[in-house]
Amino acid sequence: MNVLISCAGRQAGLVRMFQAALDGRGEVIATDADPLSAAFCLADRSFVAPPIAHETYLDWVVELCRANDVGLALSLFEADTRRLESVRRTLEQAGCRLIGAPPEIIDQTEDKVRTRDLADDIGVAYPGTWTLREVLEGAALPAGPFVVKQRGGRGSRGLAMAGSREEVTTLAQQSSEADNWIAQVRLVGEEFGLDVVNDLRSRYRGSYQRRKLRLESGEAQVAVSASEEVLLELAPRIAERTNHQGCLNVDLMLVDGAPTLLEVNARFGGDYAFSHAAGANLPALLVAWAIGEPIQEAWLHSRPGVTSLRTSSVLPLAAAPGSWKPGA
Amino acid sequence: MNVLISCAGRQAGLVRMFQAALDGRGEVIATDADPLSAAFCLADRSFVAPPIAHETYLDWVVELCRANDVGLALSLFEADTRRLESVRRTLEQAGCRLIGAPPEIIDQTEDKVRTRDLADDIGVAYPGTWTLREVLEGAALPAGPFVVKQRGGRGSRGLAMAGSREEVTTLAQQSSEADNWIAQVRLVGEEFGLDVVNDLRSRYRGSYQRRKLRLESGEAQVAVSASEEVLLELAPRIAERTNHQGCLNVDLMLVDGAPTLLEVNARFGGDYAFSHAAGANLPALLVAWAIGEPIQEAWLHSRPGVTSLRTSSVLPLAAAPGSWKPGA
């Protein structure tokens, strides 16, 4: 059985983790539309993909999974996961399990206004959020401070700082896309990453958490594995609502000990690696569930108190990635 | 013999390269004022250093080198190298070779106005550069485009884009530090990194070069090892002038095939890793020269045409770094 990492991008580390999890029982296949993706440096097979929005894309993926004995597929880009959900049945008939989530959940996580509904359903706080359109129409905003960001942006993309209610109003008046930008109350607290782990039948199995000590451009540079009771209790409530398969990555802020949801992503998050460095092993769990083998209980846990740091390295691209042609 | 990497910061990769070069014959010691430095995750011994400007700093380093059998010392921060040069003799008497350069050369490389003199001495082009003070005083600027940056800044720090001569003039009028900012003609061409390799007696031994294909925040994300005749010819001319020990990292632009110097750093550059991935081995050369062993000719060369990509990984901090106390 082989594993497909779609939109693998720079995540060479995740390729290595899945190779270790497979331990010779299969290969890791990386695909990305960008031929200069760092994941290609380590993947056993690499293919340059069509753009995910292209009309041929889904057929291309299904055919690739069939021809390459892919038993487990996941994407590192949520819009891709959303598309792959539409061929979940086809993939399963070909023996390929998809890590994903119900499309309506992904739609909620991709829209920072609708994420509020998801938070309400889970029963967790969400920061006050208004579209700039609502601001223009006179919504009653608190004093601030606010952060202004794209309604569908990821991480720190499309982020504009705006301190006060007055500055938000000025920005709203200047905006030509008032429906696609939001103003969100900026909280002060401790930022956490939480992975909610379901098995491939969407049954809750556990969670990993880490406190982010340093962030740069929205990416954790330093984090320490944690074990906050309030997050241990929250994780199964999230899982019950999201009903996802595999991994759901959640950003939270603890304000005076109480959790506020910041962002949900139905995929591996970039900061999972901090839990992996502390003993978690989600790739091993997913591979075992896909193959139908017993898991090791230890994979479900990370040791709290392990501080880890992000570093960069440079990998040679041993061979140019292939161009997969269906039916070839 | 042990190797000291001072101001090691995030460069865990360089720690690993020196460990491989030592191959069990010694250990890599990393120091940094920041206790959360990724280099500490891999170093054999780690110490939190006093700030390099602190009055105790130089005594601290010398004592650390003596007590830890350091035979080779290098810094990844140029202002640190500049300070260490003032104790070069003391370090040598303690059996420790310092990778560095004559102080007057470091002073030239740290000042983007004076780097022009260095370029003139070498006989290589340098982009038109004016302090904002000179702009205010009516210097005859070309039409542009320009980039405005800190006179002593590293990489992309303190970088402000300014398109035209008029915009530069406006910025200069607004600046409260017109002597510490420069306007530099922005060139369009292919950007290269070049390492000029001297041995520890400042004799030129070779060079490595790579073409930068993608840059982010001034850091190469993708590069391909190269072998441009014009740079092969330039490297010994740089070495003759700089008279450095070990490694000098040079940023250049090839405009219609002719080189223009952008920046010189008397230290390992972040993009050396791209040449290392293509077969270069500067750490092995430096260790061999420090020990007095023969080198392998292959270490002096990188295979041209190897494309490499930067990726990130997360490393656990196995133990907290120590606090070295002289005389302890």
Side-chain angles (χ1 to χ4, degrees):
Chain A
M1 183 199 81
N2 299 316
V3 174
L4 169 65
I5 304 181
S6 180
C7 293
R10 300 188 178 193
Q11 303 303 318
L14 204 60
V15 171
R16 198 174 267 147
M17 289 178 203
F18 271 100
Q19 285 168 331
L22 284 163
D23 194 20
R25 291 172 297 177
E27 295 190 331
V28 175
I29 300 165
T31 60
D32 201 289
D34 180 355
L36 293 177
S37 293
F40 291 164
C41 296
L42 294 181
D44 300 299
R45 305 178 204 175
S46 301
F47 299 107
V48 178
I52 60 167
H54 195 274
E55 57 179 5
T56 64
Y57 179 67
L58 290 173
D59 288 344
W60 183 88
V61 174
V62 168
E63 191 55 39
L64 179 134
C65 288
R66 278 206 188 104
N68 286 279
D69 187 26
V70 173
L72 181 70
L74 64 119
S75 175
L76 302 184
F77 183 46
E78 214 165 358
D80 184 28
T81 304
R82 179 68 182 79
R83 288 219 73 190
L84 294 177
E85 279 294 344
S86 66
V87 290
R88 171 179 288 277
R89 194 68 57 88
T90 312
L91 288 171
E92 280 176 358
Q93 283 163 356
C96 175
R97 316 296 297 268
L98 178 64
I99 291 174
E104 61 274 20
I105 294 293
I106 301 180
D107 290 343
Q108 284 185 317
T109 65
E110 284 207 286
D111 178 340
K112 290 186 175 64
V113 173
R114 296 188 58 200
T115 303
R116 181 169 47 191
D117 301 332
L118 181 59
D120 288 347
D121 291 340
I122 294 165
V124 62
Y126 190 68
T129 302
W130 296 264
T131 65
L132 294 190
R133 173 76 56 210
E134 290 171 313
V135 172
L136 286 175
E137 290 170 357
L141 267 58
F146 293 91
V147 59
V148 174
K149 41 188 172 181
Q150 276 193 315
R151 190 170 171 166
R154 291 199 306 163
S156 64
R157 283 190 215 172
L159 203 83
M161 287 298 172
S164 65
R165 176 170 49 198
E166 289 65 35
E167 286 167 292
V168 166
T169 306
T170 305
L171 260 176
Q173 285 159 352
Q174 294 167 347
S175 174
S176 58
E177 290 190 288
D179 291 311
N180 293 327
W181 288 78
I182 56 155
Q184 193 167 63
V185 171
R186 194 195 324 176
L187 302 173
V188 176
E190 293 185 316
E191 198 164 337
F192 283 77
L194 174 72
D195 291 313
V196 181
V197 180
N198 282 359
D199 64 20
L200 299 178
R201 293 182 198 169
S202 300
R203 290 175 303 199
Y204 176 72
R205 302 301 292 265
S207 66
Y208 311 125
Q209 50 175 283
R210 56 257 151 201
R211 184 157 59 89
K212 302 177 189 180
L213 302 179
R214 270 186 210 169
L215 286 163
E216 263 175 42
S217 309
E219 188 182 49
Q221 301 297 316
V222 182
V224 55
S225 53
S227 182
E228 297 285 336
E229 196 59 46
V230 69
L231 299 183
L232 290 171
E233 182 269 333
L234 178 62
R237 284 164 46 206
I238 295 174
E240 191 180 355
R241 176 66 205 166
T242 55
N243 213 28
H244 63 280
Q245 296 88 2
C247 181
L248 189 92
N249 181 248
V250 184
D251 283 339
L252 297 130
M253 187 85 86
L254 283 197
V255 183
D256 298 329
T260 294
L261 193 74
L262 296 179
E263 199 171 320
V264 181
N265 289 296
R267 57 169 170 82
F268 268 85
D271 55 340
Y272 163 71
F274 289 96
S275 292
H276 196 84
N281 202 336
L282 184 51
L285 288 169
L286 295 171
V287 165
W289 287 327
I291 294 181
E293 289 185 349
I295 64 164
Q296 291 181 23
E297 182 66 19
W299 295 339
L300 284 164
H301 304 283
S302 63
R303 295 182 302 282
V306 177
T307 300
S308 299
L309 292 80
R310 188 177 296 280
T311 185
S312 79
S313 54
V314 168
L315 301 170
L317 194 61
S323 299
W324 176 256
K325 287 183 185 58
Chain B
M1 183 200 79
N2 299 316
V3 173
L4 169 65
I5 304 181
S6 180
C7 293
R10 301 188 178 192
Q11 303 302 318
L14 204 60
V15 171
R16 198 175 266 147
M17 289 178 203
F18 271 100
Q19 285 168 331
L22 283 163
D23 194 20
R25 291 172 298 178
E27 296 191 331
V28 175
I29 300 165
T31 60
D32 201 289
D34 180 355
L36 293 177
S37 292
F40 291 164
C41 297
L42 294 181
D44 300 298
R45 305 178 204 174
S46 300
F47 299 107
V48 178
I52 61 166
H54 195 274
E55 57 179 5
T56 64
Y57 179 68
L58 289 173
D59 288 344
W60 183 88
V61 173
V62 168
E63 192 55 38
L64 179 134
C65 288
R66 278 206 188 104
N68 286 278
D69 187 26
V70 172
L72 181 70
L74 64 118
S75 175
L76 302 184
F77 183 46
E78 215 165 358
D80 183 28
T81 304
R82 179 68 182 79
R83 288 218 73 190
L84 294 177
E85 280 294 343
S86 66
V87 290
R88 171 178 287 278
R89 193 69 57 87
T90 312
L91 287 171
E92 280 176 357
Q93 283 163 357
C96 175
R97 316 296 296 268
L98 177 64
I99 291 174
E104 60 273 20
I105 294 293
I106 301 180
D107 290 343
Q108 284 185 318
T109 64
E110 284 208 285
D111 178 340
K112 290 187 174 63
V113 173
R114 296 188 58 200
T115 303
R116 179 169 48 191
D117 301 332
L118 181 59
D120 288 347
D121 291 340
I122 294 165
V124 63
Y126 189 67
T129 302
W130 296 265
T131 65
L132 294 191
R133 172 76 55 210
E134 291 171 313
V135 173
L136 286 176
E137 291 170 357
L141 267 57
F146 294 91
V147 60
V148 174
K149 42 188 172 181
Q150 276 193 314
R151 189 170 172 167
R154 290 199 305 163
S156 64
R157 283 191 214 171
L159 203 83
M161 287 298 173
S164 65
R165 177 169 50 197
E166 289 65 35
E167 286 168 290
V168 166
T169 307
T170 306
L171 260 176
Q173 285 159 352
Q174 294 166 347
S175 173
S176 58
E177 290 190 289
D179 292 310
N180 292 328
W181 288 78
I182 56 156
Q184 193 167 63
V185 171
R186 195 196 323 178
L187 303 173
V188 176
E190 293 185 316
E191 198 164 337
F192 282 77
L194 174 72
D195 292 313
V196 181
V197 180
N198 282 359
D199 64 21
L200 299 177
R201 293 182 198 169
S202 301
R203 290 174 303 200
Y204 176 71
R205 302 301 292 265
S207 66
Y208 311 126
Q209 51 175 282
R210 55 257 151 200
R211 185 157 59 90
K212 302 176 188 180
L213 302 179
R214 270 186 211 169
L215 286 162
E216 262 175 43
S217 309
E219 188 182 49
Q221 301 297 316
V222 182
V224 56
S225 52
S227 182
E228 297 284 336
E229 196 59 47
V230 69
L231 299 183
L232 290 171
E233 182 269 333
L234 178 62
R237 284 164 46 207
I238 295 174
E240 192 180 354
R241 176 66 204 166
T242 55
N243 214 29
H244 63 280
Q245 296 88 2
C247 181
L248 189 90
N249 181 248
V250 184
D251 283 339
L252 296 130
M253 187 85 88
L254 283 197
V255 183
D256 298 329
T260 294
L261 193 73
L262 296 179
E263 198 171 320
V264 181
N265 290 296
R267 56 170 171 81
F268 268 85
D271 55 339
Y272 163 71
F274 289 95
S275 292
H276 196 84
N281 202 336
L282 185 51
L285 288 169
L286 295 171
V287 165
W289 286 328
I291 294 180
E293 289 184 349
I295 64 163
Q296 291 181 22
E297 182 66 20
W299 296 339
L300 284 164
H301 304 283
S302 63
R303 295 181 302 281
V306 177
T307 299
S308 299
L309 292 81
R310 189 177 295 280
T311 184
S312 79
S313 54
V314 168
L315 301 170
L317 194 61
S323 298
W324 176 256
K325 286 182 186 58

